[in-house]
Amino acid sequence: MSVLFALLPQGKDLDELLGESPTVLAAASDAALRRYPQASDSRHALSLVRDGRDRFATRWIRGVVLAVAGGAVLGATVNAVLSTGFGMFSGLSSIAIPLGFALGAFLGAFTAAMTGTHRARQDLRPLLGEIQPGDVLLQWQASDRSVLQAIRSHCDEANVACALLD
C-alpha cells in the first residue's frame, strides 16, 4: 500500500489545498485520509507521529529487539555479579546467569510493550523537519499509487511539502 504525507500550512483549509480539479478531488475521495493534530515544531510533529503508532508512518521492530536484548544482557550481568561476588543463588552461576537472562528479556519486552518503541520512518523525517508552527500533517493511503500521484502532483504545484512512500 502506498502512502502520501503532506503538510497542510496553518490557516489553509483541506478543501483549499485540494482545489477544484475533478481529478484531484476524485483521487482524494478514493484514498483514506488521516489528519494529525496541529504541530508546534518538528519535535512535536515527531512525537505526534510516534504516539499515533501508525503502521505506515512508524517502525517499531528495532526498538523492541534492542529492549529485549538490552534487558537480557543486563539481567544476566546483574545475576552474574550477584552470584559470584555476593554468593547469592548459593554461588551457582550456572543457574543464576540463565535465570537473569530470561528474566531480563521478559522485563525488556514488557517495558517495550508498555512504553512503545515506535519511531518515525526515516524517509518521513525530512518532511517533518519542514513543519512550521500550526502545520497539520495529512496522510492519504491507497492501494493504487496513481491515485496518490495525482494528489502529489497537485501538492507540488501548490508548493506544499509532501512525501510519497511505498
Side-chain angles (χ1 to χ4, degrees), residues 7-94:
L7 294 180
L8 182 65
Q10 182 180 13
K12 199 168 193 179
D13 190 29
L14 180 60
D15 294 332
E16 184 181 343
L17 170 70
L18 294 175
E20 296 181 12
S21 169
T23 308
V24 175
L25 292 174
S29 66
D30 288 344
L33 174 66
R34 178 177 182 167
R35 183 184 212 128
Y36 284 87
Q38 279 188 340
S40 57
D41 60 5
S42 62
R43 290 183 64 191
H44 184 223
L46 283 167
S47 75
L48 290 172
V49 168
R50 180 182 55 85
D51 291 342
R53 296 184 180 199
D54 177 18
R55 68 183 179 105
F56 298 109
T58 60
R59 297 289 180 249
W60 57 271
I61 292 176
R62 181 178 142 199
V64 169
V65 169
L66 289 174
V68 171
V73 168
L74 182 62
T77 304
V78 167
N79 276 8
V81 169
L82 290 175
S83 68
T84 58
F86 297 101
M88 292 187 78
F89 301 101
S90 299
L92 296 172
S93 296
S94 60

Side-chain angles (χ1 to χ4, degrees), residues 129-149:
E130 295 182 28
I131 284 193
Q132 300 297 317
D135 286 355
V136 174
L137 181 66
L138 302 173
Q139 171 195 354
W140 285 278
Q141 326 167 29
S143 56
D144 185 10
R145 185 178 170 89
S146 63
V147 169
L148 299 178
Q149 192 63 40

